[in-house]
Amino acid sequence: MTQTAPRSVILGTGSAVPSKVVTNDDLAKIVDTSDEWITTRTGIRERRVLEDSKATSDLALLASERALEDAGLDVGDLEAIIAGTCTPDYQFPSLGCVLEAKLGAKEVFSFDVNAACSGFLNALSVADLFIRSGRIGNALVVGSDVLSRYLDWQDRSTCILFGDAAGAAVLGAGDNGDRGILSTRLQTDGSYAETLYIRAGGTKKPATQETVENREHSIYMNGKEVFKVAVRSMEDISRRVLEEAGLGVEDVSLVVPHQANRRIIAALAARLDIPMDRVVVNLDRYGNTSAASVPVALDEVRRAGRIAEGDIVLLNAFGAGFAWGASVIRF
Ligand code: COA
């Protein structure tokens, strides 16, 4: 994309996870599974589960406050909130609107994008384009999901995979230097809609006593199919964003991939020929936190000092839709 406007830069990041830890051994008490099976097949050791009295916006609020503080931006100066989520507090209004009120933001517009696990990358891309168009000078980009509310705790093939979290980044207009978001690409293939979805609760199959009894309000997934397409698609889109940015895999200091399964991440790294010590993995502690996974991992590595000025960081994600994306950023 030919662009004369300044690039968007990440001014700050923040993240939040619930305090309640659920280990693999805890899950082995409720479904026929084991720590050994979950660890070897997924890399996940534990995940966080949000308490019943809280909602997605509570986690998003904490992550957002931390990101604003890190960015040194007063909430009164915030111009937009774009939230990636598939588990908002309500069917409507949006998580963005609920969060805006909780933050006490005033002169903003807020909305959600639903791209499931790719939600943060989609939200980042939208915010980036608003900023590069000159329409706004900054935006809070959030990825927040509470998938624990949509798990069938009797289905060992799905309930072991997911956890709850929120991550956020404050984006602002750069100074015409070479820092910032260099390239982002998004892609979808809706023919896979029913490979990973929640069968009831939407307009196609509204909630009834029967849908509840049939346990149709929780995640259905063909895990093997997701696995195959995820690796292929994330490799392809990662190569494309790098090419668009005029970079090669050898230029990448760090990859921050969606945290779904360690084997997916390892396969992706192998195909991209990037050693695992340049790939961020935190799913052992959080599982798959959907739209939160990339911003939480990004926040953790930034705060741990693993990103230096000038580093090239590659973000990528994949999820229900199927929807996937990648972004390459010079810090
Ligand atoms: N504990 C113990 N056994 C389990 C189990 C569990 N939690 N879940 C499934 N199994 C069993 C299966 O029933 C099956 O038994 P069978 O051979 O007797 O039929 C066996 O383990 C193998 O199952 P399979 O589904 O082939 O395992 P897998 O190696 O494909 O791993 C996933 C399953 C879900 C971990 C893997 O497919 C995956 O991670 N897929 C991607 C999922 C994903 O990332 N989704 C979100 C994308 S955003």
Side-chain angles (χ1 to χ4, degrees), residues 40-100:
T40 51
R41 300 286 178 124
T42 72
I44 300 164
R45 293 186 182 278
E46 58 187 44
R47 68 287 296 141
R48 302 297 180 99
V49 172
L50 189 65
E51 57 204 279
D52 291 344
S53 60
K54 298 232 164 105
T56 309
S57 62
D58 295 306
L59 278 178
L61 176 66
L62 273 176
S64 300
E65 285 173 340
R66 288 170 183 160
L68 286 165
E69 190 188 345
D70 186 38
L73 187 75
D74 191 275
V75 70
D77 296 325
L78 193 59
E79 295 182 53
I81 300 173
I82 306 176
T85 187
C86 59
T87 56
D89 291 20
Y90 308 112
Q91 189 78 41
F92 63 83
S94 67
L95 171 62
C97 286
V98 176
L99 178 60
E100 165 189 327

Side-chain angles (χ1 to χ4, degrees), residues 33 37 41 117 156 221 223-224 258 260-261 263 288 318:
T33 191
W37 193 96
R41 300 286 178 124
C117 297
R156 67 179 183 175
M221 179 179 71
K224 276 200 188 312
H258 174 49
N261 183 320
R263 289 188 297 137
N288 178 347
F318 182 91

Side-chain angles (χ1 to χ4, degrees), residues 32-266:
D32 182 13
T33 191
S34 64
D35 177 46
E36 202 263 331
W37 193 96
I38 302 172
T39 309
T40 51
R41 300 286 178 124
T42 72
I44 300 164
R45 293 186 182 278
E46 58 187 44
R47 68 287 296 141
R48 302 297 180 99
V49 172
L50 189 65
E51 57 204 279
D52 291 344
S53 60
K54 298 232 164 105
T56 309
S57 62
D58 295 306
L59 278 178
L61 176 66
L62 273 176
S64 300
E65 285 173 340
R66 288 170 183 160
L68 286 165
E69 190 188 345
D70 186 38
L73 187 75
D74 191 275
V75 70
D77 296 325
L78 193 59
E79 295 182 53
I81 300 173
I82 306 176
T85 187
C86 59
T87 56
D89 291 20
Y90 308 112
Q91 189 78 41
F92 63 83
S94 67
L95 171 62
C97 286
V98 176
L99 178 60
E100 165 189 327
K102 286 191 171 180
L103 276 169
K106 295 283 178 240
E107 298 287 323
V108 286
F109 62 90
S110 309
F111 60 91
D112 294 357
V113 294
N114 178 350
C117 297
S118 295
F120 179 77
L121 273 172
N122 279 249
L124 187 75
S125 173
V126 174
D128 178 36
L129 291 171
F130 264 111
I131 288 172
R132 289 170 66 168
S133 74
R135 182 68 187 82
I136 57 175
N138 66 53
L140 174 67
V141 184
V142 178
S144 185
D145 270 314
V146 178
L147 277 176
S148 64
R149 301 282 207 268
Y150 298 90
L151 293 176
D152 179 347
W153 295 99
Q154 292 178 13
D155 176 9
R156 67 179 183 175
S157 70
T158 52
C159 75
I160 56 144
L161 296 173
F162 299 94
D164 305 331
V170 176
L171 221 57
D175 55 7
N176 268 324
D178 56 3
R179 289 172 59 229
I181 298 179
L182 306 181
S183 173
T184 304
R185 287 191 81 90
L186 306 174
Q187 206 168 334
T188 49
D189 184 343
S191 68
Y192 286 101
E194 296 185 358
T195 307
L196 173 53
Y197 75 130
I198 294 175
R199 287 164 288 179
T203 56
K204 183 165 177 181
K205 206 179 222 192
T208 60
Q209 179 118 15
E210 197 188 346
T211 60
V212 173
E213 278 164 11
N214 291 341
R215 316 180 78 80
E216 291 179 275
H217 293 274
S218 49
I219 294 174
Y220 165 87
M221 179 179 71
N222 176 342
K224 276 200 188 312
E225 193 65 18
V226 176
F227 195 114
K228 259 189 340 218
V229 187
V231 174
R232 235 181 16 232
S233 307
M234 283 195 288
E235 180 200 359
D236 175 66
I237 206 155
S238 298
R239 288 196 186 281
R240 283 173 187 231
V241 283
L242 286 169
E243 194 183 318
E244 221 164 60
L247 298 168
V249 286
E250 65 284 359
D251 298 309
V252 175
S253 313
L254 211 55
V255 185
V256 183
H258 174 49
Q259 307 284 313
N261 183 320
R262 194 175 208 284
R263 289 188 297 137
I264 293 181
I265 295 175

